[in-house]
Structures are given as structure tokens and as C-alpha cells.
Amino acid sequence: MKRAGVLFLAAVPVVATAVYFVLPSGAADAPAVPTSVGAQSSRDDAKDRAEQDHEQKQDQDDEIVASLPPGLAAPDRRELAHRLVASAEHSTTDWRSTYGIIEDRDDHCGYTAGIIGFCTGTHDLLTLVEHYTESHPGNGLARYLPALRKVDGTDSHEGLDPGFTDAWKAESGLPEFRAAQEEERDRVYFEPAVRLAKLDGLGTLGQFVYYDAMVFHGTGTDENGFYALRERVLEKAKTPAAGGSEKAYLDAFLDIRRTTMLTRYPDRETSRVDTAQRRFLQAGNLQLDTPLTWEMYGDSYTVS
């Protein structure tokens, strides 16, 4: 259901059609320095400064996040978050029973599989298998890597049928692959979502709202991705970190997210927003305290 996108930066070569040599005043004997070299040096210096500024900002953000309560990262809340997502992705709160699930949901994402709904058409399943193969070469999924790269970005099964679904189920019985699924889920979705939500001044519910949105919409740069969605929200409401109301910001986020979901899938219901997250927000449960009751696709769930 999501696009875990990759941002590609193209390096454009600079071709100098003429080179000029400049001698500083009073330094006639100084060695000539081509201005193209000086320009390159300036660009390198600017790049170094930008990298240093970015690292400094990262360090400052790390300090801010470390100073805040654990929120959704607390063990009990983390478990609750995975149960909530599993109810939306697999219609169960027992997320540990979903490692081996694999199916084509006819949503133009190819095969959807595993604990977070990794998809063959949205890059994250490919990345998972690549990382797993780096640490466990010769695993039962490695032989499908060429096909996974070929179908990435499409809903095609070319090179995957027959055999891939059985291979996924078999590999999912191994503790190593289960751990790999959890690590990829946390690295790509959970940890970035919680971090950004904390920097935006959001409590535990807001952190979950970000997490579920990243899972569904993906972390890519397309117009339906999480970051584009957040940019549209920022045009409507301020984050709490910027002085806005937490409830007003989350209301705006859920409004825009719901619209984005329906734009992509007009015939799909929006339970994960309407009868789960919106319900928690309306109840004023910004810390996602239990007991918690919600509905997903007509089914009712309770965590006490």
C-alpha cells in the first residue's frame, strides 16, 4: 500500500569552454590559478559547511528527542502500536502471527507480505530481502532478487510465480528472517516516525498517527507519500513545536490523510482513520492510554 521511495540525485558534469588565469595585484610571479579550480574549491567548501550544519542539526535534534519521554517507544506502547497496525494490515492484533502472510490485494502494489505489509511493488520488500541476504547469503529468497528488482515499482509477478509465495512462507518460519522483518520495520517506519513526531511536539497518539501514515503512504517523495502529506498539513495548521494546538494539528493531519487515501483508493474504506485514530483524538486520548477500543473494517478490537 505504500511507496518506500528512493531519492536519486544526478551528478551533472560541468564543462569549461574557456579557462582564465588571475594574478593577484602585486603578485606577478605567483603561480596562475584557473578560476574553474577556485570555483570548484568554493563549491567543495560550501558542501562541507552544509554537511557540518546538517550534522550539527542532527545532533541538536538527537538531544531534543533524548530529553523527551519515551512515548510510543516505550515497550508497552510500542507493542500497542504494532497491534493497531496489524489490525489494519492483517485484521488481527496478533502481529507475531503475520510474518508468513503473503497475498496480492489487487491494489497495484504486487505482493503484500509480512508484519508491516512489505510490497513487491513499493521497494520496501526488495530492500528487506537485499539486507537479509547480505547477512544470510544463500537464503531461500535470495534467488528471487533479480525478479524483485525487475518488478519493483509495478504490480507484476514476473519471475516470482510460481514459487515466491511458498519461499516467503518457508523463510518466515526462521527466527533470522523474523528478526530481519522487525529490524526493517523499525528502521524504515517506526523509528523515523516517532523521531519526527517528537520533534513536531506530538505526544504518543501523534507519534502513532505518523507511524501508521508512514506504513500506509510510504516514506517516498511522491505526492501521496508521507512527507508530501505532512507538507500539505503544515499549510493548514502549526505543529505543537511551532506553537500550534496538538489537537488542531492532528485533526488537520487526519483530514488531509483521509482525503489522500480516498484519492488513491476511492473504493476503499478509511477505518484506520475514522474508527480508530479519529476516535482516540476525539476522546482526548493524546497519550494513547489503555484500555483502548477501536473498529477496523467492521470488526471491534480492545486492548486492556
Side-chain angles (χ1 to χ4, degrees):
M1 287 188 179
K2 64 271 186 186
R3 176 70 190 173
V6 180
L7 183 62
F8 296 97
L9 299 178
V12 180
V14 177
V15 180
T17 57
V19 178
Y20 295 90
F21 295 88
V22 179
L23 293 179
S25 176
D29 296 330
V33 179
T35 57
S36 59
V37 174
Q40 181 62 48
S41 178
S42 297
R43 286 194 292 270
D44 289 343
D45 289 344
K47 180 181 178 182
D48 289 342
R49 287 195 298 271
E51 290 177 351
Q52 291 172 1
D53 290 344
H54 176 71
E55 290 175 0
Q56 184 177 11
K57 180 64 165 60
Q58 288 286 98
D59 291 342
Q60 292 172 347
D61 289 348
D62 286 343
E63 292 178 4
I64 292 172
V65 172
S67 71
L68 296 171
L72 201 67
D76 60 333
R77 291 297 183 269
R78 181 188 292 258
E79 176 70 16
L80 175 59
H82 298 333
R83 290 188 179 194
L84 284 162
V85 170
S87 72
E89 291 290 323
H90 298 301
S91 296
T92 179
T93 56
D94 182 11
W95 65 267
R96 292 179 178 83
S97 69
T98 66
Y99 296 101
I101 289 178
I102 181 166
E103 58 186 339
D104 190 321
R105 298 176 175 175
D106 194 27
D107 56 4
H108 309 295
C109 293
Y111 282 122
T112 296
I115 56 174
I116 206 67
F118 301 103
C119 298
T120 57
T122 63
H123 198 68
D124 57 350
L125 191 148
L126 168 60
T127 303
L128 165 63
V129 177
E130 286 179 334
H131 288 170
Y132 179 58
T133 301
E134 288 173 3
S135 56
H136 298 84
N139 67 79
L141 298 173
R143 66 181 182 273
Y144 292 100
L145 278 171
L148 288 171
R149 295 185 181 109
K150 187 173 182 179
V151 303
D152 188 29
T154 77
D155 59 0
S156 173
H157 294 180
E158 184 178 355
L160 300 177
D161 294 338
F164 180 70
T165 55
D166 288 339
W168 179 277
K169 293 173 184 177
E171 204 69 24
S172 294
L174 302 179
E176 297 84 359
F177 188 52
R178 294 186 174 199
Q181 288 192 39
E182 293 179 30
E183 290 169 6
E184 200 69 11
R185 171 198 64 195
D186 293 347
R187 182 186 71 85
V188 176
Y189 300 111
F190 186 83
E191 291 169 2
V194 172
R195 175 186 172 84
L196 179 56
K198 287 184 176 183
L199 292 172
D200 279 348
L202 299 173
T204 306
L205 173 59
Q207 293 161 32
F208 175 74
V209 167
Y210 273 23
Y211 174 42
D212 188 67
M214 280 195 185
V215 169
F216 185 90
H217 297 276
T219 57
T221 56
D222 60 279
E223 63 179 357
N224 292 317
F226 170 83
Y227 292 104
L229 187 157
R230 177 175 172 271
E231 286 300 312
R232 292 196 291 275
V233 177
L234 292 175
E235 296 173 0
K236 303 290 185 181
K238 291 183 179 180
T239 66
S245 159
E246 184 171 11
K247 186 178 185 304
Y249 176 78
L250 289 176
D251 258 327
F253 191 98
L254 294 179
D255 285 343
I256 291 175
R257 184 186 172 191
R258 187 177 190 276
T259 299
T260 304
M261 291 172 71
L262 290 173
T263 298
R264 185 174 181 183
Y265 299 111
D267 299 328
R268 302 289 176 92
E269 64 169 271
T270 53
S271 293
R272 61 203 303 159
V273 170
D274 301 336
T275 54
Q277 295 167 46
R278 182 80 73 181
R279 181 176 293 179
F280 307 151
L281 181 61
Q282 289 173 343
N285 191 356
L286 297 177
Q287 299 309 314
L288 213 57
D289 293 326
T290 55
L292 207 62
T293 298
W294 70 97
E295 292 179 14
M296 197 69 65
Y297 315 128
D299 295 327
S300 182
Y301 301 92
T302 298
V303 173
S304 61

